[in-house]
Each structure stands twice: as structure tokens, then as C-alpha cells.
């Protein structure tokens, strides 16, 4: 019998396994995929190393930055784009990033008005829940509809919000924007910086490997969990291939949208079942495009586009560049259909020729069923505390239920730390 069984090998699960092992507990980690990392995934493609999921870090993210420092890893800060594009209806406009940000800021500042009262301590999101509840009941679309904006301000703001939400704005909760803004020092500039400028030189897998190497624990890849059953002072975990594991406590570090595939005995209480049924809203695409054209750092946004945020990742000496795009619905963008990708590229950044493209469909991936955590309306008022509560000797963890940087590596590490502390005490 193990002291602790960890289900899920993303940053939360790996952190939890390390911390439980450091507390002297025997630990086995079960991961459904053939790799660790979960929704972060560094892999080679077309001569480049890309992050199919995850990527960005920042010194405002305390748990991540501590681990980066401990591991002695280097970060890189990307350059700002030289040319910015944006759309008002079908009219394409261009200028500097500063000019576009001035437009975005006018809408953004109205959107987040009241956030300092609603989220006075952003690492404790329910501290002022009575003030937060008004926003928590709104979708992003609901909140935008409350604002008095020009057509240009509305379209630029909408494009910015779609790239953040990675989901239709009618599904995504307004608090997802407010939290990111509050955690970024109540600043649009820092919100943009924390979400897209600082990366690990060696990739997210280097950080994951450093955490995983911090203590000895058993790892079982390709071990998708089918059932978790509590029986007296033990917990039995059964995998889909029929293998069984027994522990004194279990940490379930699985994305919210994938939790429904696991059978729990006794059944989870109604409040947890309601949270799992609601799920989180992200369903977007993260697409990488190798394109040929003007050797300029580009950044273009367009609301409603299949990848309505598109920016240059790197310029290559052969006249090509690597671009990254984000869209609100993975079903609207097929990276394998280069003709369709070309048409979509022409509709947001004309003048470039698609050479190749790639993406991982996180929405179709049964072990994620979505990308980073974007909670639906009502999450913090009704579901956040329920999902953090242990059920007997079963503890829940993961970036989706973090207090702070939910949806980021930092939130996963934070939640893994908390989960390990609870599970070790139960073991």
C-alpha cells in the first residue's frame, strides 16, 4: 500500500507527488498519457521547439518564479511587435502596438471598473464574495454589453477578450478577466505581459522535469484512472486496463472537464457534481503557422475570427516566420487543412503565404476537454469552495481550482502544494 496516490501528471500532480514524497510519504503517480505535463507540452515541430500547451511565465507568479529560481532556469522576454493590426467590422486598420493599446485600454478600463473592491486580495478570490458576486453572475459578453463603447473600442476589446477567454464570450465568466487583471497588479499592460511575453528558454518541460526530480516517487504512464473507491481507512484506485493501486489518501489532479470520466465511490456530493457538470468554458485553438512574407514582427487581432489573435513568435533567415494564433473554438480551425488556414490567415493578416501549420486539439483530448481554466458565470459564488474541499481521504487539486493564477502553471503548482499538504496529513 502506498501512502499517497496522485492521479494526473500535470504540474499540479507532479508538484503534489514531490511534496508528499518530501514529507516522507511513499507516492505513486498515475498519468493517463505517455508523458508528464498535462496541458503543458513542449515538442519539436518543423525545425522549432513549440509549446502546444502552456508556455508563459512571469515574476508576478510567485510559485512558478520560486521553482524557476530553484531550478536555475533562464527566461526570455519577447520583443514587442513592430506592426499592429486590428479590425472594425470588415475595415482593417494598422499602426503601432501603443496606438492599438490606447484603444483597448479605453474599453478594458471600463470592463474592470470595480475590480479593486470585488477582488481586493486576488490570491483569495472569495474574500469579498458579496462584492464579487455581481460580476460572477455575468458572462464576458454580458459585461461588455453594459459598457458604452465606440465601434472601434468594442471590436478591439472583444478581440482582446476572446484571446484571453479561449471560448465564446457568452460562455466565459467575466471574473476570468477580472482575476487575471487583479493578479497582474490591476494593469492592462501587465495583464498582457504576464500572458504572453516571458517564456522559459529550455521550455516548460525543463521546469516540470526539475520539479519531478526534486524527490523520489513512482511514476506510471499510460495509466488512465477509471475508478476511485474509498473503503474504510484505504482508497482503491482502478485503471482502465484493470490494474489496481491502494493508498491511504489520493490526490486527484485532473482537469475539471475530464473529472466526469472517473467513477467515485461513495459518489461525490451534489455540490461537486454540479461543479463538474458545469465545467469550465475554454474550448479554443492554439495554432502555430509557418508563413512566408515581410520579415516584420506582426501582431493582428480580429473579433470572431477562427484565430483572432495572431502574433509573430520568431523570424527566420529564410524569409519565413513562426506565428502563433489563438481562437475561441477548436472546431472552427483545422491546422491540417492548409488551404483553409491560408484563407483564415488572409482574413486577419493578408500578404503572407502559409508553409505549414500545427495544433493539438485540446478540446477533443479526453484527458483535458479544454485549454486553460476559464470559469463560467457562477463559479466563485457556488462552486469554487466545493471543489477545493476534500472528500474523506480524496483531495482535489489542479490549476482549474487554484486560488491565484488559475489556468496558469503557477495555479497548478499552488494547488499541488496545497493538495500535498492535505493528503500527507491524511496518510
Amino acid at each position: 500500500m502506498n501512502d499517497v496516490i496522485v492521479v494526473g501528471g500535470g504540474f499540479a500532480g507532479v508538484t503534489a507527488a514531490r511534496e508528499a514524497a518530501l514529507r516522507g510519504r511513499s507516492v505513486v503517480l498515475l498519468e493517463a498519457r505517455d508523458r508528464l505535463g498535462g496541458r503543458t507540452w513542449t515538442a519539436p515541430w518543423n525545425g522549432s521547439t513549440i509549446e502546444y500547451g502552456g508556455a508563459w511565465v512571469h515574476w508576478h507568479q510567485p510559485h512558478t518564479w520560486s521553482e524557476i529560481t530553484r531550478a536555475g532556469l533562464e527566461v526570455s522576454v519577447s520583443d514587442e511587435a513592430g506592426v499592429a493590426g486590428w479590425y472594425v467590422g470588415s475595415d482593417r486598420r494598422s499602426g503601432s502596438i501603443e496606438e492599438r493599446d490606447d484603444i483597448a485600454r479605453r474599453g478594458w478600463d471600463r470592463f474592470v471598473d470595480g475590480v479593486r473592491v470585488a477582488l481586493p486580495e486576488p490570491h483569495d478570490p472569495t474574500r469579498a464574495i458579496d462584492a464579487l458576486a455581481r460580476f460572477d453572475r455575468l458572462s464576458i459578453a454580458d459585461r461588455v454589453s453594459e459598457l458604452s463603447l465606440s465601434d472601434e473600442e468594442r471590436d478591439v476589446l472583444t478581440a482582446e477578450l476572446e484571446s484571453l477567454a479561449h471560448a465564446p464570450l457568452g460562455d466565459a465568466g467575466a471574473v476570468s478577466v477580472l482575476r487575471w487583471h487583479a493578479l497582474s497588479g490591476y494593469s492592462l499592460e501587465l495583464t498582457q505581459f504576464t500572458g504572453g511575453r516571458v517564456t522559459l528558454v529550455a521550455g516548460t518541460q525543463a521546469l516540470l522535469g526539475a520539479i519531478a526530480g526534486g524527490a523520489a516517487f513512482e511514476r506510471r504512464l499510460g495509466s488512465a484512472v477509471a475508478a476511485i473507491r474509498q473503503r474504510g481507512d484505504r482508497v482503491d484506485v482502478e485503471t482502465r486496463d484493470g490494474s489496481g493501486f491502494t493508498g491511504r489518501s489520493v490526490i486527484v489532479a485532473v482537469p475539471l472537464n475530464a473529472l466526469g470520466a472517473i467513477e467515485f465511490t461513495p459518489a461525490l456530493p451534489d455540490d461537486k457534481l454540479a461543479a463538474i457538470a458545469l465545467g469550465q468554458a475554454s474550448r479554443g485553438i492554439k495554432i502555430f503557422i509557418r508563413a512566408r512574407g515581410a520579415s516584420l514582427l506582426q501582431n493582428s487581432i480580429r473579433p470572431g475570427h477562427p484565430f483572432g489573435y495572431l502574433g509573430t513568435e520568431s523570424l527566420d533567415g529564410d524569409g519565413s516566420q513562426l506565428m502563433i494564433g489563438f481562437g475561441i473554438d477548436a472546431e472552427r480551425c483545422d491546422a491540417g487543412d492548409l488551404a483553409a488556414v491560408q484563407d483564415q490567415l488572409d482574413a486577419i493578416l493578408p500578404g503572407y503565404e502559409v508553409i505549414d501549420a500545427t495544433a493539438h486539439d485540446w478540446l477533443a483530448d479526453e484527458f483535458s476537454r479544454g485549454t486553460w481554466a476559464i470559469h463560467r458565470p457562477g463559479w466563485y459564488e457556488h462552486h469554487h469552495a466545493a471543489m477545493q474541499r476534500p472528500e474523506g481521504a480524496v483531495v482535489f487539486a489542479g490549476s482549474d481550482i487554484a486560488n491565484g493564477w488559475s489556468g496558469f502553471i503557477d495555479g497548478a503548482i499552488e494547488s499541488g502544494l496545497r493538495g500535498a499538504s492535505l493528503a500527507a496529513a491524511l496518510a
Side-chain angles (χ1 to χ4, degrees):
M1 178 186 293
N2 290 96
D3 292 323
V4 178
I5 300 172
V6 179
V7 179
F11 269 93
V14 169
T15 299
R18 181 194 69 180
E19 292 300 305
L22 289 174
R23 286 169 166 79
R25 306 306 192 267
S26 60
V27 179
V28 59
L29 182 148
L30 308 177
E31 165 55 42
R33 296 183 173 93
D34 61 359
R35 60 172 181 83
L36 297 178
R39 287 172 289 181
T40 58
W41 182 18
T42 310
W45 173 72
N46 205 0
S48 300
T49 298
I50 62 173
E51 300 279 3
Y52 279 105
W56 292 284
V57 297
H58 196 271
W59 39 90
H60 274 224
Q61 296 163 351
H63 305 93
T64 302
W65 201 253
S66 175
E67 297 292 348
I68 289 170
T69 303
R70 179 185 301 191
L73 296 175
E74 295 182 30
V75 298
S76 174
V77 179
S78 63
D79 295 327
E80 284 194 344
V83 181
W86 63 96
Y87 282 79
V88 182
S90 61
D91 178 29
R92 188 175 197 278
R93 303 178 184 182
S94 63
S96 67
I97 283 287
E98 291 77 15
E99 288 173 316
R100 194 181 76 194
D101 282 349
D102 283 342
I103 301 166
R105 188 175 297 105
R106 294 197 291 271
W108 185 273
D109 286 349
R110 293 173 204 172
F111 189 103
V112 301
D113 185 37
V115 66
R116 290 180 183 271
V117 173
L119 286 168
E121 298 178 27
H123 277 275
D124 186 359
T126 59
R127 175 168 292 276
I129 189 62
D130 290 343
L132 186 67
R134 185 182 89 77
F135 296 106
D136 192 39
R137 295 165 189 170
L138 300 176
S139 69
I140 294 176
D142 292 334
R143 178 59 175 159
V144 171
S145 72
E146 294 181 342
L147 310 178
S148 177
L149 303 170
S150 69
D151 289 345
E152 184 173 52
E153 290 167 345
R154 186 174 301 276
D155 283 357
V156 169
L157 177 63
T158 297
E160 292 270 4
L161 294 173
E162 286 178 342
S163 68
L164 183 157
H166 228 211
L169 299 190
D171 295 339
V175 174
S176 293
V177 181
L178 302 186
R179 286 183 58 259
W180 196 335
H181 177 80
L183 289 160
S184 300
Y186 304 97
S187 160
L188 171 60
E189 290 83 0
L190 271 174
T191 303
Q192 293 169 328
F193 208 105
T194 56
R197 294 287 302 281
V198 185
T199 55
L200 289 156
V201 172
T204 55
Q205 293 302 301
L207 180 59
L208 185 77
I211 295 172
F217 57 88
E218 184 181 356
R219 308 166 198 188
R220 297 286 189 98
L221 301 180
S223 298
V225 168
I228 298 173
R229 300 184 176 95
Q230 298 194 62
R231 308 177 191 275
D233 60 354
R234 57 185 271 184
V235 186
D236 294 332
V237 177
E238 181 182 325
T239 61
R240 292 182 188 176
D241 65 6
S243 299
F245 301 84
T246 300
R248 292 182 174 85
S249 65
V250 171
I251 301 170
V252 183
V254 172
L256 180 66
N257 287 359
L259 271 174
I262 300 175
E263 175 191 349
F264 290 87
T265 304
L268 295 177
D270 288 345
D271 55 1
K272 273 196 174 62
L273 292 176
I276 294 168
L278 179 67
Q280 59 96 4
S282 74
R283 54 176 295 118
I285 188 78
K286 180 182 185 182
I287 185 170
F288 293 87
I289 301 171
R290 177 73 64 185
R292 184 178 294 112
S295 186
L296 297 169
L297 294 173
Q298 297 275 4
N299 188 289
S300 193
I301 59 175
R302 184 171 189 174
H305 187 275
F307 44 87
Y309 175 97
L310 183 70
T312 301
E313 281 285 284
S314 62
L315 298 173
D316 295 327
D318 62 358
S320 70
Q321 63 176 271
L322 179 64
M323 300 175 175
I324 184 171
F326 293 95
I328 61 174
D329 190 345
E331 293 181 349
R332 294 181 56 198
C333 185
D334 180 1
D337 185 345
L338 294 187
V341 173
Q342 181 69 66
D343 290 343
Q344 292 166 349
L345 179 60
D346 292 341
I348 189 171
L349 183 60
Y352 284 83
E353 176 193 359
V354 173
I355 300 170
D356 203 356
T358 188
H360 179 70
D361 191 343
W362 295 103
L363 179 61
D365 186 328
E366 66 171 321
F367 303 122
S368 59
R369 299 296 188 196
T371 57
W372 60 81
I374 297 293
H375 292 300
R376 299 179 189 274
W379 176 262
Y380 288 95
E381 191 175 9
H382 301 295
H383 305 296
H384 182 69
M387 283 308 303
Q388 289 192 338
R389 186 187 66 240
E391 298 299 333
V394 176
V395 174
F396 293 82
S399 182
D400 293 359
I401 62 171
N403 283 326
W405 288 90
S406 179
F408 285 79
I409 292 171
D410 194 81
I413 296 172
E414 171 218 310
S415 187
L417 293 170
R418 179 182 61 84
S421 177
L422 292 170
L426 292 167

